[in-house]
Amino acid sequence: MKLGVVGLPNVGKSTLFNAMTRAGAMCASYPFCTIEPNIGMVALKDKRVDALAKLFSSKRTVYTTLEFVDIAGLVKGASHGEGLGNKFLANIRQVDAIVHVVRCFEDSNIAHIADSIDPVRDIEIINTELILADLDTLSRRLAKTKVALKGDKKHQFEIDIIDKLTLSLEKGISARNCNLTEEEKEITKFFFLLSEKKVIYCANVPESEVLGNTYSRQVEEYASSDNSECVVVSAKIEAELADLPSQEQQEFLQELGLAESGLDRIVSAGFRVLSLATFLTVAEKEARAWTIPVGTKAPQAAGKVHTDFERGFIRAEVIPWDVLIACGSYTAAKEKGKVKSEGKDYIVKEGDVAIFKFNV
């Protein structure tokens, strides 16, 4: 999962990025401090992997990894090359989903390009630039497709999709909210539209209002209307958490009235917007988490582990991770009939522990 961290200049993007990745991105209170994108890899600690590793005395644990890309701040006119617009737009094309950091705090020491705090206005500046960039992309695509149409009438379907998308975008509706059929979506994924990407709005609040404020509630309402996720975080709090040992982190979160860190909540939102799930494998050698799209069938999940597993798939032996832990061993789980033998049509579920049987 690759998430691009975006936002207007000085909204707390790099502070949040540093806290989540400890990558040490430059952080300053003036526009365009971030020019080249900073990239940080985060191993997503998973209590399920830890519990299975302990049960099986696994020699190592391997967690799912998340890649954060801290992209330069955007300004109005970016779709026409203003500020670092061209760089921004090129970098955002490479990510799976967008973490859109929105300023929900007041601080006279940190400049705001509009000299006032207005989360909805700020969101719409960026969303408008993405839409304008997409309109330009579709215009160029349409010209090429019309030429191709002269030689093959099958391209008319693509032209119809482009017209449908263009009409929505001109109304200010992002591509992700355009009512496309599954067949149409199969075509549009090759357009690489920016406004088609899923969004997690990240309302950056001050330390004193870590549970939210008037500004963050505006972001939550906007996210709901945009069919997107919203996570309320304090970048400064996340920075403090990043420097604490695990046990102290939990104590600090409890004092603040939070069940999870901002990173954990952003990751959960990322899995939801991208429709991802995690299954597990465990043996004496290693306990490991694997990320798959929701709805993945057993042979394709097996292919994540090794291509031979999918090619020669016979069956999968599966058991929910917590049931396996409760049984105390794989042998005991089998004796109790808790391990199920599943075929090629089985859809792997969140938290399944799987052993794949194959023959090549």
Side-chain angles (χ1 to χ4, degrees):
M1 183 161 57
K2 189 173 185 179
L3 301 179
V5 185
V6 307
L8 295 176
N10 306 328
V11 297
K13 292 187 299 85
S14 294
T15 300
L16 187 62
F17 173 84
N18 285 344
M20 293 188 296
T21 66
R22 300 187 184 182
M26 186 183 295
C27 180
S29 61
Y30 54 88
F32 308 123
C33 172
T34 303
I35 297 177
E36 295 299 330
N38 297 295
I39 298 174
M41 299 295 294
V42 181
L44 305 179
K45 298 291 185 180
D46 192 325
K47 67 178 183 181
R48 300 171 299 184
V49 176
D50 295 335
L52 290 169
K54 183 177 180 181
L55 181 64
F56 282 76
S57 300
S58 303
K59 292 183 172 62
R60 68 169 183 158
T61 54
V62 182
Y63 303 106
T64 293
T65 57
L66 173 63
E67 183 174 341
F68 282 105
V69 183
D70 181 23
I71 300 172
L74 186 70
V75 295
K76 188 174 182 179
S79 57
H80 302 296
E82 290 294 325
L84 296 168
N86 292 332
K87 272 184 177 293
F88 176 96
L89 298 173
N91 292 328
I92 202 173
R93 290 188 197 280
Q94 309 305 315
V95 302
D96 298 315
I98 298 168
V99 176
H100 184 163
V101 183
V102 186
R103 180 165 170 170
C104 294
F105 64 89
E106 296 182 14
D107 189 332
S108 59
N109 295 317
I110 301 177
H112 190 293
I113 60 171
D115 295 325
S116 64
I117 308 302
D118 186 337
V120 173
R121 175 204 59 204
D122 292 356
I123 288 171
E124 291 184 340
I125 287 174
I126 287 187
N127 285 350
T128 297
E129 294 305 319
L130 299 186
I131 286 172
L132 290 173
D134 284 347
L135 283 169
D136 182 59
T137 296
L138 289 175
S139 176
R140 287 183 278 109
R141 180 95 186 191
L142 180 62
K144 291 180 181 179
T145 308
K146 282 183 174 180
V147 172
L149 180 65
K150 295 176 181 178
D152 191 339
K153 295 300 181 183
K154 72 178 183 181
H155 293 288
Q156 183 60 51
F157 182 56
E158 182 173 319
I159 290 175
D160 292 342
I161 297 171
I162 292 173
D163 289 341
K164 184 176 181 178
L165 278 167
T166 299
L167 187 62
S168 289
L169 291 171
E170 287 176 342
K171 293 178 180 177
I173 300 171
S174 296
R176 63 182 168 272
N177 292 323
C178 182
N179 293 321
L180 298 176
T181 65
E182 290 305 314
E183 187 180 8
E184 289 170 335
K185 288 177 182 178
E186 282 299 307
I187 301 295
T188 61
K189 68 183 181 182
F190 297 106
F191 296 174
F192 303 106
L193 299 177
L194 300 176
S195 70
E196 194 169 32
K197 293 184 182 295
K198 300 294 186 180
V199 179
I200 304 162
Y201 292 104
C202 189
N204 184 14
V205 297
E207 296 170 274
S208 59
E209 298 173 319
V210 69
L211 297 179
N213 58 21
T214 301
Y215 295 134
S216 68
R217 284 188 282 277
Q218 292 175 29
V219 178
E220 289 173 327
E221 289 176 10
Y222 189 97
S224 177
S225 67
D226 192 44
N227 295 315
S228 299
E229 292 274 341
C230 179
V231 177
V232 178
V233 301
S234 167
K236 287 187 176 181
I237 291 292
E238 295 302 312
E240 292 178 40
L241 277 171
D243 292 328
L244 295 176
S246 180
Q247 181 59 39
E248 290 184 32
Q249 284 185 13
Q250 291 305 312
E251 293 172 359
F252 188 26
L253 287 170
Q254 288 176 4
E255 289 176 11
L256 295 170
L258 297 173
E260 295 180 300
S261 69
L263 172 60
D264 289 337
R265 285 178 281 129
I266 289 170
V267 168
S268 296
F271 269 71
R272 288 193 296 273
V273 300
L274 292 173
S275 296
L276 299 176
T278 302
F279 76 92
L280 310 150
T281 56
V282 63
E284 186 177 336
K285 181 181 178 182
E286 91 178 6
R288 183 165 185 160
W290 305 85
T291 302
I292 53 173
V294 169
T296 298
K297 292 185 177 180
Q300 288 68 51
K304 287 283 290 184
V305 181
H306 197 288
T307 53
D308 283 349
F309 288 15
E310 180 176 1
R311 188 159 56 92
F313 180 88
I314 299 173
R315 69 179 188 277
E317 293 184 355
V318 296
I319 178 173
W321 77 275
D322 52 344
V323 175
L324 177 55
I325 295 296
C327 289
S329 73
Y330 192 76
T331 300
K334 290 201 76 168
E335 290 173 351
K336 293 178 180 179
K338 300 297 184 180
V339 179
K340 306 297 183 183
S341 181
E342 304 287 358
K344 293 181 178 180
D345 291 331
Y346 177 73
I347 294 175
V348 178
K349 298 180 177 63
E350 174 69 34
D352 272 352
V353 178
I355 296 177
F356 299 108
K357 304 296 182 180
F358 70 103
N359 182 33
V360 291

